[in-house]
Coordinates of all heavy atoms in Angstrom, one line a residue:
M872 N 0.8 -1.2 0.0 CA 0.0 0.0 0.0 C 0.9 1.3 0.0 O 1.8 1.3 0.8 CB -0.9 0.0 1.2 CG -1.9 1.1 1.2 SD -3.0 0.7 2.6 CE -3.7 2.4 2.9
P873 N 0.6 2.1 -0.9 CA 1.5 3.4 -1.0 C 1.2 4.4 0.3 O 0.2 4.3 0.8 CB 1.1 4.1 -2.4 CG -0.3 3.5 -2.6 CD -0.4 2.2 -2.0
R874 N 2.4 5.1 0.6 CA 2.1 6.0 1.6 C 1.3 7.2 1.2 O 1.4 7.6 -0.1 CB 3.5 6.6 2.0 CG 4.3 5.5 2.7 CD 5.5 6.1 3.3 NE 6.1 5.1 4.2 CZ 7.4 5.3 4.8 NH1 8.1 6.4 4.4 NH2 7.7 4.3 5.6
P875 N 0.6 7.9 2.1 CA -0.2 9.0 1.7 C 0.7 10.2 1.5 O 1.8 10.4 2.2 CB -1.2 9.3 2.7 CG -0.5 8.5 4.0 CD 0.2 7.3 3.4
T876 N 0.4 11.1 0.5 CA 1.1 12.2 0.3 C 0.8 13.4 1.3 O -0.2 13.3 2.1 CB 0.9 12.7 -1.1 OG1 -0.6 13.1 -1.2 CG2 1.2 11.8 -2.2
P877 N 1.6 14.3 1.4 CA 1.3 15.4 2.4 C 0.0 16.2 2.1 O -0.8 16.6 2.9 CB 2.5 16.4 2.2 CG 3.6 15.5 1.8 CD 3.1 14.5 1.0
A878 N -0.3 16.2 0.8 CA -1.7 16.8 0.4 C -2.8 16.0 1.0 O -3.8 16.6 1.3 CB -1.7 17.0 -1.0
Q879 N -2.6 14.6 0.8 CA -3.7 13.8 1.3 C -3.9 14.0 2.8 O -5.1 13.9 3.3 CB -3.4 12.4 0.9 CG -3.6 12.0 -0.5 CD -3.2 10.6 -0.8 OE1 -2.1 10.2 -0.5 NE2 -4.1 9.9 -1.5
L880 N -2.8 14.1 3.4 CA -2.9 14.1 4.9 C -3.5 15.4 5.3 O -4.4 15.5 6.2 CB -1.5 14.0 5.6 CG -0.8 12.6 5.5 CD1 0.6 12.7 6.0 CD2 -1.6 11.5 6.3
A881 N -3.2 16.5 4.7 CA -3.7 17.9 5.0 C -5.1 17.9 4.8 O -5.9 18.4 5.6 CB -2.9 18.9 4.1
Y882 N -5.5 17.4 3.5 CA -7.0 17.5 3.2 C -7.9 16.7 4.1 O -8.9 17.0 4.5 CB -7.1 17.2 1.6 CG -6.7 18.2 0.7 CD1 -6.1 17.8 -0.4 CD2 -7.0 19.5 0.9 CE1 -5.7 18.8 -1.3 CE2 -6.6 20.5 0.0 CZ -5.9 20.1 -1.2 OH -5.5 21.0 -2.1
G883 N -7.3 15.4 4.3 CA -8.0 14.5 5.1 C -8.3 14.9 6.5 O -9.3 14.9 7.2
S884 N -7.0 15.5 7.0 CA -7.2 16.0 8.5 C -8.2 17.2 8.7 O -8.8 17.3 9.6 CB -5.8 16.4 9.0 OG -4.9 15.3 8.9
A885 N -7.9 18.1 7.7 CA -8.9 19.3 7.7 C -10.3 18.9 7.5 O -11.2 19.4 8.2 CB -8.4 20.3 6.7
T886 N -10.5 17.9 6.8 CA -11.9 17.4 6.5 C -12.5 16.9 7.9 O -13.6 17.1 8.2 CB -12.0 16.5 5.4 OG1 -11.6 17.0 4.3 CG2 -13.4 16.1 5.1
V887 N -11.6 16.0 8.5 CA -12.1 15.4 9.7 C -12.5 16.5 10.8 O -13.6 16.5 11.4 CB -11.1 14.5 10.3 CG1 -11.4 14.1 11.7 CG2 -10.8 13.3 9.3
V888 N -11.5 17.4 11.0 CA -11.7 18.4 12.1 C -12.9 19.3 11.8 O -13.8 19.5 12.6 CB -10.4 19.2 12.3 CG1 -10.7 20.4 13.1 CG2 -9.3 18.3 12.8
L889 N -13.0 19.9 10.4 CA -14.0 20.9 10.2 C -15.3 20.1 10.0 O -16.4 20.7 10.6 CB -13.7 21.6 8.8 CG -12.4 22.4 8.8 CD1 -12.0 22.9 7.6 CD2 -12.6 23.5 10.0
S890 N -15.5 19.0 9.5 CA -16.8 18.4 9.3 C -17.3 17.9 10.6 O -18.5 18.0 10.9 CB -16.7 17.2 8.3 OG -15.9 16.2 8.8
T891 N -16.4 17.3 11.5 CA -16.8 17.0 12.9 C -17.4 18.1 13.7 O -18.4 18.0 14.3 CB -15.7 16.2 13.6 OG1 -15.3 15.0 12.8 CG2 -16.2 15.6 14.9
L892 N -16.6 19.2 13.6 CA -17.0 20.4 14.3 C -18.4 20.9 13.7 O -19.2 21.3 14.6 CB -15.9 21.5 14.3 CG -16.2 22.7 15.0 CD1 -16.2 22.4 16.5 CD2 -15.1 23.8 14.7
A893 N -18.5 21.0 12.5 CA -19.8 21.5 12.0 C -20.9 20.6 12.3 O -22.1 21.0 12.7 CB -19.7 21.5 10.4
M894 N -20.7 19.3 12.3 CA -21.9 18.4 12.5 C -22.1 18.4 14.0 O -23.3 18.3 14.5 CB -21.4 16.8 12.2 CG -21.5 16.6 10.7 SD -21.3 14.8 10.3 CE -19.6 14.7 10.5
L895 N -21.2 18.6 14.9 CA -21.5 18.7 16.5 C -22.2 19.9 16.6 O -23.1 20.0 17.5 CB -20.2 18.6 17.1 CG -19.5 17.2 17.4 CD1 -18.2 17.4 17.9 CD2 -20.5 16.3 18.2
L896 N -21.9 21.1 16.0 CA -22.4 22.4 16.2 C -23.8 22.3 15.7 O -24.9 22.9 16.3 CB -21.7 23.5 15.7 CG -20.5 23.8 16.4 CD1 -19.6 24.9 15.7 CD2 -20.7 24.3 17.8
L897 N -24.1 21.7 14.6 CA -25.5 21.7 13.9 C -26.4 20.7 14.6 O -27.7 21.0 14.6 CB -25.3 21.4 12.4 CG -24.6 22.5 11.6 CD1 -24.5 22.0 10.1 CD2 -25.6 23.8 11.6
S898 N -25.9 19.5 15.0 CA -26.9 18.6 15.7 C -27.1 18.9 17.2 O -28.0 18.3 17.7 CB -26.2 17.2 15.5 OG -25.1 17.0 16.4
E899 N -26.3 19.7 17.9 CA -26.4 19.9 19.2 C -26.4 18.7 20.0 O -27.2 18.4 20.9 CB -27.6 20.8 19.6 CG -27.5 22.2 18.8 CD -28.8 22.9 19.1 OE1 -29.8 22.6 19.9 OE2 -28.8 24.0 18.5
A900 N -25.5 17.8 19.7 CA -25.5 16.5 20.4 C -25.0 16.6 21.8 O -24.0 17.3 22.0 CB -24.3 15.6 19.7
R901 N -25.7 15.9 22.7 CA -25.3 15.9 24.1 C -25.0 14.7 24.7 O -24.2 14.6 25.5 CB -26.5 16.5 24.9 CG -26.9 17.8 24.3 CD -27.3 18.7 25.5 NE -27.9 20.0 24.9 CZ -27.1 21.0 24.6 NH1 -25.9 21.1 24.5 NH2 -27.7 22.2 24.3
S902 N -25.4 13.6 24.0 CA -25.2 12.2 24.6 C -23.8 11.7 23.9 O -23.3 12.1 23.0 CB -26.1 11.3 24.3 OG -26.4 10.9 22.9
G903 N -23.3 10.8 24.8 CA -21.9 10.2 24.2 C -21.9 9.5 23.0 O -21.2 9.5 22.2
I904 N -23.0 8.6 22.9 CA -23.1 7.8 21.7 C -23.3 8.7 20.4 O -22.8 8.3 19.4 CB -24.3 6.8 21.8 CG1 -24.3 5.8 20.7 CG2 -25.6 7.5 21.8 CD1 -23.2 4.8 20.8
S905 N -24.1 9.8 20.5 CA -24.2 10.7 19.3 C -22.9 11.4 19.0 O -22.7 11.5 17.8 CB -25.3 11.6 19.5 OG -25.1 12.5 20.7
V906 N -22.1 11.6 19.9 CA -20.8 12.3 19.7 C -19.9 11.4 19.0 O -19.1 11.6 18.0 CB -20.2 12.9 20.9 CG1 -18.7 13.4 20.7 CG2 -21.0 13.9 21.5
V907 N -19.9 10.0 19.5 CA -19.1 9.0 18.8 C -19.5 8.7 17.4 O -18.7 8.6 16.4 CB -19.2 7.8 19.8 CG1 -18.5 6.5 18.9 CG2 -18.6 7.9 21.1
I908 N -20.8 8.7 17.1 CA -21.3 8.6 15.7 C -21.0 9.7 14.8 O -20.5 9.5 13.6 CB -22.9 8.4 15.8 CG1 -23.2 7.0 16.5 CG2 -23.3 8.4 14.3 CD1 -24.7 6.7 16.7
I909 N -21.0 10.9 15.4 CA -20.6 12.1 14.5 C -19.1 12.1 14.3 O -18.6 12.4 13.1 CB -21.1 13.3 15.2 CG1 -22.5 13.4 15.2 CG2 -20.4 14.6 14.6 CD1 -23.2 14.7 15.8
A910 N -18.3 11.6 15.3 CA -16.9 11.7 15.2 C -16.4 10.5 14.1 O -15.6 10.8 13.3 CB -16.3 11.4 16.5
A911 N -17.1 9.4 14.2 CA -16.9 8.3 13.2 C -17.3 8.7 11.8 O -16.5 8.5 10.8 CB -17.7 6.9 13.5
A912 N -18.4 9.5 11.6 CA -18.8 10.1 10.3 C -17.8 11.0 9.8 O -17.4 11.0 8.6 CB -20.2 10.6 10.4
G913 N -17.2 11.9 10.7 CA -16.2 12.8 10.2 C -15.0 12.2 9.8 O -14.3 12.5 8.8
L914 N -14.5 11.1 10.6 CA -13.4 10.2 10.2 C -13.5 9.6 8.8 O -12.6 9.7 8.0 CB -13.1 9.3 11.3 CG -11.9 8.5 11.1 CD1 -10.6 9.3 11.1 CD2 -11.7 7.5 12.1
L915 N -14.7 9.0 8.6 CA -15.0 8.3 7.4 C -14.9 9.3 6.2 O -14.5 9.0 5.1 CB -16.3 7.7 7.4 CG -16.3 6.3 8.2 CD1 -17.8 5.7 8.3 CD2 -15.3 5.3 7.6
L916 N -15.6 10.5 6.5 CA -15.5 11.6 5.4 C -14.2 12.1 5.1 O -13.7 12.2 4.0 CB -16.4 12.7 5.9 CG -16.6 13.8 4.8 CD1 -17.4 13.3 3.6 CD2 -17.4 15.0 5.5
G917 N -13.2 12.2 6.2 CA -11.9 12.6 6.0 C -11.1 11.5 5.2 O -10.3 11.8 4.4
V918 N -11.3 10.3 5.6 CA -10.6 9.2 4.8 C -11.1 9.2 3.3 O -10.2 9.0 2.3 CB -10.8 7.8 5.4 CG1 -10.5 6.7 4.5 CG2 -10.2 7.7 6.8
L919 N -12.3 9.4 3.0 CA -12.9 9.5 1.7 C -12.2 10.6 0.9 O -11.8 10.5 -0.3 CB -14.4 9.6 1.6 CG -15.1 9.8 0.4 CD1 -14.9 8.4 -0.4 CD2 -16.5 10.2 0.4
V920 N -12.2 11.8 1.5 CA -11.5 12.9 0.9 C -10.0 12.7 0.7 O -9.4 13.1 -0.4 CB -11.7 14.2 1.7 CG1 -10.8 15.3 1.3 CG2 -13.1 14.7 1.7
A921 N -9.3 12.1 1.6 CA -7.9 11.9 1.4 C -7.6 10.7 0.2 O -6.7 11.0 -0.5 CB -7.2 11.3 2.7
V922 N -8.4 9.9 0.1 CA -8.4 8.8 -1.0 C -8.7 9.4 -2.2 O -7.9 9.1 -3.3 CB -9.1 7.5 -0.6 CG1 -9.2 6.7 -1.8 CG2 -8.7 6.9 0.6
T923 N -9.7 10.1 -2.5 CA -10.2 10.8 -3.6 C -9.3 12.0 -4.0 O -9.4 12.4 -5.3 CB -11.6 11.0 -3.7 OG1 -11.8 12.0 -2.7 CG2 -12.4 9.8 -3.5
T924 N -8.3 12.4 -3.2 CA -7.6 13.6 -3.6 C -6.7 13.4 -4.8 O -6.4 14.2 -5.6 CB -6.8 14.1 -2.4 OG1 -7.5 14.2 -1.3 CG2 -5.8 15.3 -2.7
T925 N -6.1 12.2 -4.9 CA -5.1 11.9 -6.0 C -5.8 11.3 -7.2 O -5.0 11.0 -8.1 CB -4.0 11.0 -5.5 OG1 -4.6 9.8 -5.0 CG2 -3.2 11.7 -4.4
I926 N -7.1 10.9 -7.1 CA -7.6 10.2 -8.3 C -7.5 11.0 -9.7 O -7.0 10.5 -10.7 CB -9.1 9.9 -8.0 CG1 -9.0 8.7 -7.1 CG2 -9.8 9.3 -9.4 CD1 -10.4 8.1 -6.6
P927 N -7.9 12.5 -9.6 CA -7.7 13.0 -10.8 C -6.3 13.2 -11.3 O -6.0 13.2 -12.5 CB -8.4 14.5 -10.5 CG -9.1 14.3 -9.3 CD -8.5 13.1 -8.6
L928 N -5.2 13.2 -10.3 CA -3.9 13.4 -10.8 C -3.5 12.1 -11.5 O -2.7 12.2 -12.4 CB -3.1 13.6 -9.5 CG -3.2 15.0 -8.9 CD1 -2.3 15.1 -7.6 CD2 -3.0 16.1 -9.8
T929 N -4.0 10.9 -11.0 CA -3.5 9.7 -11.6 C -4.2 9.5 -13.0 O -3.6 9.2 -13.8 CB -4.1 8.5 -10.7 OG1 -3.5 8.7 -9.3 CG2 -3.6 7.2 -11.2
A930 N -5.4 9.9 -13.1 CA -6.0 9.8 -14.4 C -5.3 10.8 -15.4 O -5.2 10.3 -16.6 CB -7.5 10.2 -14.3
R931 N -4.9 11.9 -15.0 CA -4.3 12.8 -15.8 C -2.9 12.3 -16.2 O -2.4 12.4 -17.4 CB -4.0 14.2 -15.2 CG -5.3 15.1 -15.4 CD -5.0 16.4 -14.9 NE -5.7 16.4 -13.6 CZ -5.3 17.3 -12.7 NH1 -4.3 18.2 -12.8 NH2 -5.9 17.3 -11.5
A932 N -2.2 11.7 -15.3 CA -0.8 11.1 -15.6 C -1.0 9.9 -16.6 O -0.2 9.8 -17.5 CB -0.1 10.7 -14.4
K933 N -2.0 9.2 -16.3 CA -2.2 8.0 -17.4 C -2.6 8.5 -18.7 O -2.0 8.0 -19.8 CB -3.4 7.2 -16.8 CG -2.9 6.2 -15.8 CD -4.0 5.4 -15.4 CE -3.7 4.6 -14.1 NZ -4.8 3.7 -13.6
A934 N -3.3 9.6 -18.8 CA -3.7 10.2 -20.1 C -2.4 10.8 -20.7 O -2.3 10.6 -22.0 CB -4.8 11.2 -19.9
R935 N -1.6 11.5 -20.0 CA -0.3 12.1 -20.5 C 0.6 11.0 -21.1 O 1.3 11.2 -22.1 CB 0.3 12.9 -19.5 CG 0.0 14.3 -19.5 CD 0.9 15.1 -18.7 NE 0.1 15.6 -17.5 CZ 0.3 15.5 -16.3 NH1 1.4 14.9 -15.9 NH2 -0.5 15.8 -15.4
S936 N 0.5 9.8 -20.4 CA 1.5 8.8 -20.7 C 0.9 8.2 -22.0 O 1.7 7.7 -22.9 CB 1.7 7.8 -19.6 OG 0.5 7.0 -19.5
R937 N -0.3 8.0 -22.1 CA -0.9 7.4 -23.3 C -0.6 8.3 -24.6 O -0.3 7.8 -25.6 CB -2.4 7.2 -23.2 CG -2.8 5.9 -22.5 CD -4.2 5.7 -22.6 NE -4.7 5.4 -21.2 CZ -5.5 6.1 -20.8 NH1 -6.3 7.1 -21.3 NH2 -6.0 5.9 -19.3
T938 N -0.9 9.6 -24.4 CA -0.5 10.6 -25.5 C 1.0 10.6 -25.8 O 1.3 10.8 -27.0 CB -1.1 11.9 -25.3 OG1 -0.5 12.5 -24.1 CG2 -2.6 11.9 -25.2
A939 N 1.8 10.4 -24.9 CA 3.2 10.5 -25.2 C 3.7 9.2 -25.9 O 4.4 9.3 -26.9 CB 4.0 10.5 -23.9
V940 N 3.0 8.1 -25.6 CA 3.3 6.9 -26.4 C 2.8 6.9 -27.7 O 3.6 6.6 -28.6 CB 2.7 5.7 -25.5 CG1 2.7 4.3 -26.4 CG2 3.4 5.4 -24.3
R941 N 1.6 7.5 -27.9 CA 1.1 7.6 -29.2 C 2.0 8.6 -30.0 O 2.3 8.3 -31.2 CB -0.4 8.1 -29.2 CG -1.3 7.0 -28.9 CD -2.7 7.6 -28.9 NE -3.6 6.9 -28.1 CZ -4.5 7.4 -27.4 NH1 -4.8 8.6 -27.4 NH2 -5.2 6.7 -26.6
A942 N 2.4 9.6 -29.5 CA 3.2 10.6 -30.3 C 4.6 10.1 -30.7 O 5.2 10.4 -31.7 CB 3.4 11.8 -29.3
A943 N 5.1 9.1 -29.7 CA 6.4 8.5 -30.1 C 6.4 7.6 -31.2 O 7.3 7.4 -32.0 CB 6.9 7.8 -28.8
H944 N 5.2 7.0 -31.5 CA 4.9 6.0 -32.5 C 4.5 6.6 -33.9 O 4.4 6.0 -34.9 CB 4.1 4.9 -32.1 CG 4.5 4.1 -31.0 ND1 5.8 3.4 -31.2 CD2 4.3 3.9 -29.8 CE1 6.1 2.7 -29.9 NE2 5.2 3.1 -29.1
V945 N 4.0 7.8 -33.8 CA 3.4 8.4 -35.0 C 4.6 9.0 -35.9 O 5.4 9.8 -35.3 CB 2.6 9.6 -34.7 CG1 2.1 10.4 -35.9 CG2 1.3 9.0 -33.9
P946 N 4.7 8.6 -37.2 CA 5.9 9.1 -38.0 C 5.5 10.5 -38.3 O 4.5 11.0 -38.6 CB 5.8 8.2 -39.2 CG 4.4 7.7 -39.2 CD 3.8 7.6 -37.8
V947 N 6.6 11.4 -38.4 CA 6.5 12.7 -38.7 C 6.4 12.8 -40.3 O 7.4 12.4 -40.9 CB 7.8 13.5 -38.2 CG1 7.7 14.9 -38.5 CG2 7.9 13.4 -36.6
P948 N 5.5 13.6 -40.8 CA 5.4 13.6 -42.2 C 6.5 14.6 -42.7 O 6.8 15.6 -42.2 CB 4.0 14.4 -42.5 CG 3.7 14.9 -41.2 CD 4.3 14.1 -40.1
R949 N 7.1 14.2 -43.8 CA 8.3 15.0 -44.3 C 7.8 15.4 -45.7 O 7.2 14.8 -46.4 CB 9.5 14.1 -44.5 CG 9.8 13.3 -43.1 CD 11.4 13.4 -42.9 NE 11.7 12.6 -41.7 CZ 11.9 13.2 -40.5 NH1 11.8 14.6 -40.4 NH2 12.3 12.6 -39.6
P950 N 8.3 16.7 -46.1 CA 7.9 17.2 -47.4 C 8.7 16.3 -48.5 O 9.7 15.8 -48.3 CB 8.5 18.6 -47.4 CG 9.5 18.6 -46.3 CD 9.0 17.6 -45.2
R951 N 7.9 16.1 -49.6 CA 8.5 15.4 -50.6 C 9.5 16.2 -51.4 O 9.2 17.3 -51.7 CB 7.3 14.9 -51.6 CG 6.4 14.0 -50.8 CD 5.2 13.6 -51.8 NE 5.5 12.3 -52.4 CZ 4.8 11.8 -53.3 NH1 3.6 12.4 -53.7 NH2 5.0 10.6 -53.8
V952 N 10.6 15.5 -51.8 CA 11.6 16.3 -52.5 C 11.5 15.7 -54.0 O 11.6 14.4 -54.1 CB 12.9 16.0 -51.9 CG1 14.0 16.8 -52.9 CG2 13.1 16.7 -50.5
H953 N 11.2 16.5 -54.9 CA 11.0 16.0 -56.3 C 12.3 15.9 -57.1 O 13.2 16.8 -56.8 CB 10.1 16.9 -57.0 CG 8.8 17.2 -56.4 ND1 7.9 16.2 -56.3 CD2 8.2 18.2 -55.8 CE1 6.8 16.5 -55.7 NE2 7.0 17.8 -55.3
S954 N 12.5 15.0 -57.8 CA 13.8 14.8 -58.4 C 14.0 15.8 -59.6 O 15.1 16.1 -60.0 CB 13.9 13.4 -59.1 OG 12.8 13.2 -60.0
S955 N 13.0 16.3 -60.0 CA 13.1 17.4 -61.2 C 13.5 18.6 -60.6 O 13.8 19.6 -61.4 CB 11.8 17.4 -61.9 OG 10.9 18.0 -61.0
G956 N 13.7 18.8 -59.4 CA 14.1 20.1 -58.7 C 13.0 21.1 -58.6 O 13.3 22.3 -58.2
Q957 N 11.7 20.8 -59.1 CA 10.7 21.8 -59.1 C 10.0 21.8 -57.6 O 10.1 20.8 -56.9 CB 9.5 21.3 -60.1 CG 10.0 21.4 -61.5 CD 8.8 20.9 -62.2 OE1 7.8 20.3 -61.8 NE2 8.8 21.0 -63.6
S958 N 9.6 23.0 -57.2 CA 8.9 23.1 -56.0 C 7.5 22.4 -56.0 O 7.1 22.1 -57.0 CB 8.8 24.6 -55.5 OG 7.9 25.2 -56.5
G959 N 7.0 22.2 -54.8 CA 5.7 21.6 -54.8 C 4.5 22.3 -55.3 O 3.5 21.9 -55.5
R960 N 4.9 23.6 -55.6 CA 3.7 24.6 -56.0 C 3.2 24.2 -57.4 O 2.1 24.4 -57.6 CB 4.2 26.0 -55.9 CG 4.6 26.4 -54.6 CD 5.2 27.8 -54.6 NE 5.7 28.1 -53.2 CZ 5.7 29.3 -52.8 NH1 5.1 30.2 -53.3 NH2 6.2 29.4 -51.6
S961 N 4.0 23.6 -58.2 CA 3.4 23.3 -59.5 C 2.6 22.1 -59.6 O 1.9 21.8 -60.4 CB 4.6 23.1 -60.5 OG 5.4 22.0 -60.1
R962 N 2.6 21.3 -58.5 CA 1.9 20.1 -58.3 C 0.6 20.3 -57.4 O -0.1 19.2 -57.1 CB 2.7 19.0 -57.8 CG 4.0 18.8 -58.7 CD 4.8 17.6 -58.2 NE 3.8 16.4 -58.3 CZ 4.2 15.2 -58.0 NH1 5.6 15.0 -57.6 NH2 3.5 14.1 -58.1
V963 N 0.3 21.5 -57.1 CA -0.8 21.7 -56.1 C -2.1 21.2 -56.7 O -3.0 20.6 -56.0 CB -1.0 23.1 -55.8 CG1 -2.2 23.4 -55.0 CG2 0.2 23.6 -54.9
S964 N -2.3 21.3 -58.1 CA -3.6 20.8 -58.7 C -3.7 19.3 -58.8 O -4.8 18.9 -59.0 CB -3.8 21.6 -60.0 OG -2.6 21.0 -60.9
E965 N -2.6 18.6 -58.6 CA -2.7 17.2 -58.8 C -3.4 16.5 -57.5 O -3.3 17.1 -56.4 CB -1.4 16.6 -58.8 CG -0.7 17.0 -60.2 CD 0.6 16.2 -60.4 OE1 0.9 15.2 -59.8 OE2 1.5 16.7 -61.1
H966 N -3.9 15.4 -57.7 CA -4.7 14.6 -56.5 C -3.4 14.2 -55.6 O -2.3 13.8 -56.1 CB -5.4 13.4 -57.1 CG -6.3 12.8 -56.1 ND1 -5.8 11.9 -55.2 CD2 -7.4 13.0 -55.9 CE1 -6.9 11.6 -54.4 NE2 -7.9 12.3 -54.8
S967 N -3.7 14.2 -54.4 CA -2.7 13.9 -53.3 C -2.3 12.5 -53.3 O -1.2 12.1 -52.7 CB -3.3 14.3 -51.9 OG -4.4 13.5 -51.6
L968 N -3.1 11.5 -53.8 CA -2.9 10.1 -53.9 C -2.0 9.6 -55.0 O -1.5 8.4 -55.1 CB -4.0 9.3 -53.6 CG -4.8 9.5 -52.3 CD1 -6.1 8.6 -52.3 CD2 -4.0 9.2 -51.2
R969 N -1.9 10.6 -56.1 CA -1.1 10.1 -57.2 C 0.3 10.1 -56.9 O 0.9 10.8 -56.0 CB -1.3 11.2 -58.3 CG -2.7 10.8 -59.1 CD -2.7 12.0 -60.0 NE -2.7 11.5 -61.3 CZ -3.0 12.3 -62.4 NH1 -3.1 13.7 -62.2 NH2 -2.9 11.9 -63.6
R970 N 1.0 9.3 -57.6 CA 2.5 9.1 -57.4 C 3.3 9.5 -58.6 O 3.1 9.2 -59.6 CB 2.8 7.8 -56.8 CG 2.4 7.6 -55.5 CD 2.7 6.4 -54.9 NE 2.1 6.1 -53.6 CZ 2.6 5.8 -52.5 NH1 3.9 5.6 -52.4 NH2 2.0 5.6 -51.3

């Protein structure tokens, strides 16, 4: 299992603290069991945020690597050099598939 990045730790921790505080203030929980349930919900929410923090980065990295591989395999079109020494301008009216 890979180690969490500092960004994941920061986002997860901030989410746990802020969401737990907000839920405790909004619910006005007074019993011990309700505080434990709210704290567990805040912890689960923080873990969810920490795990999903890097998903877009991973998807972007995969997309970049796929396009880099495709770009490496695509041949670069080169201008045709005519043996007669004429420039390509005189052949503009010809069909592109003719040889």
